[in-house]
Amino acid sequence: MIKYAERHSQEEAEKILDPIVLEWFKSKYKKFSPPQIDAIYHIHHKENVLVSSPTGTGKTFAAFLDIISQLIQLYKNGNNDKGIKVIYVSPLKALINDIKKNLLVPLEEMKSGPERDWLSQINVGIRTSDTTSSEKAKQLIKPPAILCTTPESLAIAVTAPKFKENLRTVKWVIVDEIHALAESKRGSYLSLTLELLQELAEFQRIGLSATTAPIEEIAKFLAGSNRDVTIIDARFEKKTMIEVLSPVKDIVGVSETKLTESTYSLLYGLLKKSKTALIFTNTRSGTERVVANLKKKFPDIFTDETIGAHHSSVSRDLRLDFEDKLKNGQLKAIVSSTSLELGIDIGYIDLVIQLGSPKSIIRLLQRVGRSGHSINSISKGVIIASDNDDIVETSVMAYYALKRELDKIKIIKNALDVLSQTIVSMSLIKRWNVSEAYSVIKRSYSYESLEWNDFIDVINYLAGAYHSLEERGVYSKISLYKNGEKVESLSYEDREAEFGRKKSARMIFYLNQGTIPDETKIVVFEGKRPIGTLEEEFVERLGPGDRFVLAGKIYEFMSSKRMRVYVKKADDSKPTVPAWFSEELPLSYDLANKIQAFRASLLGLQKYEVLDKIRNYPADENAKNAIAEYMTLMTGFLKSRKLEKLDQKDYLVEQYKTDKFNLVFHTLLGRKANDALSRAFGYMLSEMVGSSVGVMVSDNGFVLSVDNDVKVNVKKLLKSVSSENIEQILHKAVSNTELFRRKFRQVAARSFMILRNYKGHSISVGKQQFNSDLLVKVVQKVEGFPLLKETYREILQDYMDISAAKEFLKKLESGEHRFLVLEKSNVPSPFSFKMLAWGSSDVILMEDRRKLILKLHQKLLQFLKNKKKDADI
């Protein structure tokens, strides 16, 4: 059962805490924050608790204050039993190091009172992949009272024959940044690991989360199925201010050079007024570019000592150095892509600046929440937008952020590769009855809907039931037993069978467990000559004929083999895949629907009416004026096509002719849903016309392109994809793609079908891919093979959003939505400009992209002017 915490008083919290803890707290802080009060009360009363509140509201102390108080009572009364009492789990090692420091200081200060040496029993240890063997050996003999760890290290600890005995005394498990774990396979893994820990000890679960939604889903993820949990919802305790800024008055007509200058002038003004600012970009390359430009343009303020870049490609030592400088107030600004979203202690920030859209209301609030480092201070954030679509998107985002209407994260369900890994880990603990193991697994919220047949299929795979795999060096990882006798496989009726450990499995598990995939740079070859490298995520996007920019030149993708990509020059063509595409965050589906409704509500109005309707939106005059101009221009375009306005249910399909015939789908659903729809419609169009189809995907829609001499039956195409057949079409569309090859390798690695490390030797990603390519040919001949099933599930549900795509198609079929197909034209709508520019240029050709948008803009204005003349005549 889920319940929301009732509010409690300062006095109630004070009565609960041991005097030592209360005395220390009052010497440092005036009073508890509301989430701290409620957490102290409900943790003390043995409830599973989820605390959701912004950065700076004291979540860490909320979790630990009563626990330390209870530990003091335990040790004060002479309890000397060994064993770990508290496990703190975080997705970030940096956060773990922070927590240790933040616990050791108060514990040391509490010890300063008379005759409190026994407080040294409340010690703190760290156990991650960085922990030395000697330190782990010490922990085995003298376990810390509080163990700080990662999901992966906890999974190993639960299976370790000797160390797991120290876990039988665990009373509390704290999961920090639980929202970041919940929507990944690391979360699925942790969810199962907690159920295995539950077999060793009875413990309270405490989750700490930033502002997120749906909060009840996160609570279920924390507690597992059929357990009670109390939600302390303090997501909106802290006052927030957000404003969208446009650097220029005319966002369309300005040159790229002028826009850049104005953006940095605006940045300079904001940074000069702030003490310490945190600037978020959406890509690692964008982060580096901003730091370099600020140092170059404003050397009076920005030097190597006063500004830094923080992202995953920066070395750990440099990141730690920047974090320390921030805490010490030495930095004027730090620029990050996503790495500072989570709660690393970075000291006081008084302003967050977001360059471009963060693509999600939750992400915006999490980022802005990093400013104002106390519950009583104001979180201040500004978003600097760079084009019309960006201004519309961020204005809607900021409006709903301030209204506290959040978009939703999605928890991964029934990932069969993570299940495979967990079954192997279970086999290392004891011999399990399969029905018993199944019931333990289904206690996890991530697996509560796991089907028995899928479970048995995974068991059979791990037991080596598929002999064709042995010929490729894939051997069993567990042993099966029926009536005490070893067997090779189980039927779905074998509910009393057992599985247990294989001799070689322990080392395989220790060296290969974890869900984060190995990734590497892929070398690009023109003929036999290497010309550069690409990120693996980018290569996943490529198909034969796709063009991209590398080292300032345009190349066409031909094929790939292992970790090599083969290309040819395409000098007379334009790129179809922007280099930054794989880094770009996808727009959330919920926010996309809000933007669709917002745009529809403004079409058909005159400029002054638009300005009146958006007067309460948190945007400056430049931004509001840009929205009004944009919407009235789209209204003019629609009127030229004999459409007064678009209803919210209307989704345009434009037929736009250039050197190609382009079908522009205005499906404002977010990139993940559009990825699914574009591949399905692209595949069907290719089947219909018998030629290749160019596909360009964005958050606002997608473009399908064919040669002008190809005849396209648009009505037939629109009816060719339905909610019933889209999954089947997508299976065909992705089965021979780079995306499928690489996702299968990652699934195979998580399932120990291919190993990342063998007998202590790392196996290169290239070798893993080679082995994977051989294995996929074998398993494609096996009906219902679980790892193939998981590969398709991950692509369609996690990488894409087939649920949202199906929902959209169902609404088309019911008449709730409708496609409006426009006649062929060589003048596109304003809503098409950015999509068409994306498909025609690359990030390093930004000037060309802006010029193309301006050219299309002027072309439309001239077209509308001529139409008006004709009407007047």
Side-chain angles (χ1 to χ4, degrees), residues 522-710:
I522 296 173
V523 183
V524 181
F525 283 82
E526 183 191 4
K528 294 182 179 180
R529 183 172 68 99
I531 55 171
T533 61
L534 293 171
E535 297 281 345
E536 197 173 357
E537 277 185 307
F538 180 70
V539 174
E540 286 178 355
R541 283 294 316 167
L542 300 177
D546 279 336
R547 297 176 298 281
F548 58 92
V549 173
L550 183 63
K553 294 179 181 173
I554 300 170
Y555 294 96
E556 183 176 316
F557 175 83
M558 294 166 66
S559 65
S560 75
K561 191 173 183 181
R562 291 174 73 172
M563 292 294 112
R564 290 185 171 196
V565 160
Y566 294 94
V567 299
K568 65 181 181 182
K569 273 188 185 170
D571 293 334
D572 59 339
S573 304
K574 292 174 181 174
T576 56
V577 184
W580 39 262
F581 189 87
S582 61
E583 283 191 78
E584 185 81 356
L585 296 163
L587 181 70
S588 76
Y589 177 61
D590 297 316
L591 179 54
N593 283 322
K594 285 178 166 66
I595 298 165
Q596 166 75 6
F598 174 80
R599 295 201 315 190
S601 72
L602 300 179
L603 293 174
L605 303 179
Q606 295 185 50
K607 184 178 175 180
Y608 75 90
E609 292 173 309
V610 174
L611 286 169
D612 185 56
K613 281 199 83 166
I614 64 173
R615 67 184 181 280
N616 294 326
Y617 277 72
D620 70 358
E621 290 309 308
N622 284 350
K624 285 177 180 171
N625 197 59
I627 293 170
E629 293 277 2
Y630 190 31
M631 293 302 136
T632 50
L633 185 62
M634 185 65 185
T635 295
F637 171 84
L638 292 173
K639 285 181 177 175
S640 76
R641 298 304 183 87
K642 310 255 184 322
L643 289 168
E644 280 303 308
K645 63 170 289 180
L646 289 181
D647 195 270
Q648 188 182 341
K649 72 177 185 177
D650 294 330
Y651 290 80
L652 277 185
V653 180
E654 286 185 65
Q655 302 182 75
Y656 173 56
K657 289 186 71 172
T658 53
D659 54 337
K660 295 269 186 183
F661 173 64
N662 304 286
L663 278 174
V664 185
F665 286 72
H666 292 274
T667 47
L668 211 169
L669 304 168
R671 195 175 79 217
K672 285 188 170 187
N674 278 329
D675 203 344
L677 290 170
S678 66
R679 286 178 192 260
F681 280 109
Y683 180 84
M684 294 308 292
L685 180 56
S686 181
E687 291 288 293
M688 284 166 59
V689 300
S691 67
S692 63
V693 175
V695 180
M696 200 296 300
V697 187
S698 83
D699 289 311
N700 290 13
F702 58 94
V703 182
L704 305 181
S705 303
V706 293
D707 291 334
N708 272 317
D709 57 358
V710 174

Side-chain angles (χ1 to χ4, degrees), residues 71-85:
L71 287 174
I72 285 172
Q73 295 284 335
L74 196 68
Y75 292 119
K76 194 192 281 185
N77 295 331
N79 186 310
N80 291 318
D81 64 330
K82 282 186 177 182
I84 295 160
K85 305 297 186 298

Side-chain angles (χ1 to χ4, degrees), residues 760-779:
H761 299 290
S762 291
I763 297 168
S764 72
V765 179
K767 180 69 173 169
Q768 290 177 42
Q769 189 66 57
F770 177 73
N771 293 338
S772 172
D773 290 344
L774 294 175
L775 287 168
V776 76
K777 291 172 185 172
V778 176
V779 300

Side-chain angles (χ1 to χ4, degrees), residues 41 56 80 110 124 129 182 266 274 300 388-389 394 397 415 434 456 481 521 540 543 603 692 701 712 729 769 790 846:
Y41 181 88
N80 291 318
M110 287 178 202
V124 184
S129 57
L266 180 56
S274 74
D300 57 320
N388 275 333
D389 288 311
T394 54
M397 185 187 302
V434 288
I456 293 299
Y481 305 90
K521 296 271 190 180
E540 286 178 355
L603 293 174
S692 63
V712 178
I729 293 169
Q769 189 66 57
E790 174 56 27
M846 194 72 93

